[in-house]
Amino acid sequence: MKKNSIALGIISGLIAPMIGLLCYWLFSFRQVTFSEFFTYFHRYKLVSAALSTCLVFNLAVFFLFLYLKWETSAKGVLIATFIYGIIVVLAKMNVI
């Protein structure tokens, strides 16, 4: 895979929020399992808020790619952010 490609940006943009969610679980909810953590967020309808917060990690990846002058990869991160945005909107509407 090329360093400056949309595929790298999309993959990075899809993985970064997952890493953010994992970090949030490790630092805030360490006493419960990851399954219980996700059940809690789903039960109290906090999934969209958690995903929105974890998108901050995409911001870091986006600016890293811009700093490295990998504009095409930065576009891929933006595409992944829009994908997560659609998921957040669907979660807010209780579709998922």
Side-chain angles (χ1 to χ4, degrees), residues 15-82:
I15 292 175
M18 291 180 204
I19 293 171
L21 188 65
L22 185 65
C23 289
Y24 184 63
W25 169 64
L26 285 174
F27 293 118
S28 299
F29 290 86
R30 193 177 319 173
Q31 67 276 13
V32 299
T33 65
F34 190 74
S35 175
E36 292 170 343
F37 166 73
F38 200 74
T39 302
Y40 170 81
F41 274 89
H42 194 269
R43 180 180 303 138
Y44 294 106
K45 304 202 184 307
L46 299 172
V47 174
S48 61
L51 284 176
S52 299
T53 304
C54 291
L55 285 177
V56 172
F57 278 72
N58 267 5
L59 190 64
V61 174
F62 178 77
F63 281 117
L64 173 69
F65 285 153
L66 287 182
Y67 178 77
L68 295 173
K69 306 249 188 284
W70 294 356
E71 288 83 8
T72 307
S73 294
K75 289 177 190 175
V77 173
L78 196 57
I79 291 168
T81 303
F82 282 126

